């Protein structure tokens, strides 16, 4: 059955006390919104609609960055969750199949949970995701008999008996799209908040003789973010889970509590991650690679058997082939390092391609930026870049070529050539001693005066 998704992201998030729309605050280096979109995308939806309001343009741009196909609708006034979903009606009213509503500020719903809800649709016209809350607070309460849901009561409208219920509404709901918009049209704002509640749908469905049901999930999964404290807690929860998953997947973490993963980090089996390693977005580490302590990685790919760090920084577009070694105080950006390349120390490689088994000496810099434009450096295979070589791009170093240390290379170097681009050394016998004598005499004269 086809699936459409509506992700609600119009709220202001006042309690974040922020200029940034709430759903754009990051957990695990991704906006909250992207977490929700990723969970939904795992179902292979026909269509995803994000409802934006506060900071609408920024939120829309972020949604499109995650999924260029996403549809955006604007809710200019936040009149409740049913009103928010109704904004998607022009796009989805005729959609075949089911509709799932997710919240942009609820990042941890697992695709497996959404699948369980779809499966429960075989038994119920409407399926709501519920959880047993340790502290039910102001959550909507599910009035249910076993799996059968009678109605959802919002906290503000609940009787003391209903408030005593600990089975709560996560906000995620699944039903046929046509039915959803049909029922939403019936929702009235006759409640304590004066809002159009999406939570009225189960009772409205039952009034038509349809069945509503509850699927349960862990409370940790439904964690919503409303404050900076909750954001920090969500980050901690994400990292705890990511570390456990990495360990279970056969990754060695020397000090798990000091490693920070991104939402999309992929680490292969038998990879070894040392202490204090930070993964930004878009990193893949293949199996048997080793990331030593204090590395900062984002947007990069580290192949099998490669070693990185300690103290290395890999930026977007860093592609390390098998058995590459990147050592301490090396920064790599938008550069491909072919198999067996060694970049041991104190180096910047940007906008470059380095051929296999080339050795990059300490202190090498690709001078890729002329103040206006970026330029490429191409280094062949089996080359040897002497320590402290400045490669002024655009420049090409041929296979098997050698640059003398301290060279400023501004012209292409042919294969197997030696390039020397530094001042010739001059020896002045005894001149150092004479110079020191003179300086000492000056210092002594100054001390007297
Ligand atoms: C909602 C549920 C409640 C549930 C809780 C779980 C309703 C009426 N109540 O309450 O049963 O226990 O979530 O967290 O649905 N939004 C819009 N436009 C609006 C209103 C809300 O886009 O007009 C978005 C918000 O940005 C947010 C989500 O919908 O992402 C939920 O809205 P919120 O106001 O936080 O609902 P709660 O009162 O928490
Ligand atoms: Ca909320």
């Amino acid at each position: 059955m086809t699936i459409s998704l509506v992700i609600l992201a119009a709220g202001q998030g006042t309690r974040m006390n922020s200029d940034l729309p709430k759903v754009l605050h990051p957990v695990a280096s991704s906006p909250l919104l992207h977490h929700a979109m990723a969970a939904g995308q795992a179902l292979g939806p026909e269509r995803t609609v994000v409802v934006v309001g506060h900071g609408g343009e920024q939120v829309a741009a972020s949604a499109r960055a995650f999924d260029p196909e996403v549809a955006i609708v604007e809710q200019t006034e936040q009149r409740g969750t049913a009103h928010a979903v109704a904004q998607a009606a022009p796009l989805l009213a005729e959609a075949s199949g089911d509709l799932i509503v997710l919240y942009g500020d609820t990042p941890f719903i697992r695709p497996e949970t959404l699948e369980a809800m779809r499966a429960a649709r075989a038994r119920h016209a409407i399926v709501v995701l519920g959880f047993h809350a340790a502290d039910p607070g102001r959550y909507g309460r599910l009035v249910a008999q076993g799996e059968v849901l009678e109605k959802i009561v919002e906290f503000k409208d609940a009787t003391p008996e209903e408030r005593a219920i600990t089975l709560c509404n996560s906000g995620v709901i699944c039903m046929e799209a046509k039915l959803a918009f049909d029922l939403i049209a019936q929702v009235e704002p006759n409640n304590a908040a004066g809002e159009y509640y999406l939570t009225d749908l189960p009772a409205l469905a039952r009034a038509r003789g349809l069945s509503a049901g509850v699927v349960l999930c862990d409370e940790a999964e439904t964690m919503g973010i409303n404050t900076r404290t909750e954001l920090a807690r969500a980050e901690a929860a994400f990292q705890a889970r990511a570390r456990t998953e990495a360990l279970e997947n056969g990754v060695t973490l020397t000090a798990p509590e000091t490693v920070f993963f991104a939402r999309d980090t992929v680490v292969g089996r038998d990879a070894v991650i040392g202490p204090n390693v930070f993964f930004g977005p878009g990193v893949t580490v293949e199996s048997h690679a080793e990331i030593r302590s204090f590395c900062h990685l984002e947007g990069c790919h580290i192949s099998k058997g490669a070693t990185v760090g300690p103290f290395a920084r890999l930026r977007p577009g860093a592609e390390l082939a098998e058995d590459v070694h990147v050592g301490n105080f090396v920064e790599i950006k938008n550069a491909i390092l072919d198999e067996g390349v060694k970049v041991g120390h104190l180096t910047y490689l940007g906008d470059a391609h380095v051929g296999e088994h080339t050795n990059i000496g300490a202190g090498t810099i690709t001078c890729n930026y002329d103040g206006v434009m970026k330029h490429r450096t191409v280094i062949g295979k089996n080359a040897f870049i002497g320590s402290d070589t400045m490669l002024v791009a655009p420049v090409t170093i041929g296979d098997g070529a050698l640059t003398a240390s301290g060279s400023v290379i501004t012209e292409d170097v042919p294969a197997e050539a030696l390039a020397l681009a530094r001042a010739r050394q001059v020896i002045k016998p005894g001149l150092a001693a004479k110079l020191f004598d003179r300086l000492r005499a000056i210092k002594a004269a100054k001390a007297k005066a």
Side-chain angles (χ1 to χ4, degrees), residues 276-280 294-298 311-315:
N276 297 296
V277 172
F278 181 88
F279 291 93
F294 297 100
C295 287
H296 190 283
L297 315 173
E298 58 186 319
F311 298 100
R313 177 167 186 213
L314 302 187
R315 292 171 52 204

Side-chain angles (χ1 to χ4, degrees), residues 15 22 103 105 224-226:
R15 288 193 287 151
K22 175 164 79 171
Y103 293 170
D105 64 357
I225 282 88
N226 299 296

Side-chain angles (χ1 to χ4, degrees), residues 7-13 15 22-23 51-53 75 77-85 101-106 131 136 138-142 152-156 168-172 191 195-200 222-224 226:
I7 301 180
L8 304 189
Q12 186 170 15
R15 288 193 287 151
K22 175 164 79 171
V23 295
V51 182
V52 305
Q75 185 194 25
E77 256 186 292
Q78 278 69 62
R79 297 167 68 187
T81 43
H83 181 258
V85 177
V101 178
L102 296 173
Y103 293 170
D105 64 357
T106 306
F131 63 101
R138 303 183 66 82
Y139 284 118
R141 305 300 206 264
L142 302 186
I152 306 177
V153 191
E154 286 307 299
F155 177 80
K156 283 184 182 168
C168 292
N169 176 29
S170 71
V172 185
N191 50 57
E195 287 187 358
Y196 294 86
Y197 286 166
L198 193 61
T199 45
D200 283 355
T222 69
M223 180 174 191
N226 299 296

Side-chain angles (χ1 to χ4, degrees), residues 26-31 34-35 66 260-266 278-284 296-301 314-318:
V27 161
S29 297
S30 273
H34 292 193
H35 289 261
F66 183 83
F260 289 82
F261 293 100
R263 180 181 59 77
D264 58 357
T265 306
V266 178
F278 181 88
F279 291 93
V283 179
T284 303
H296 190 283
L297 315 173
E298 58 186 319
C300 60
H301 175 205
L314 302 187
R315 292 171 52 204

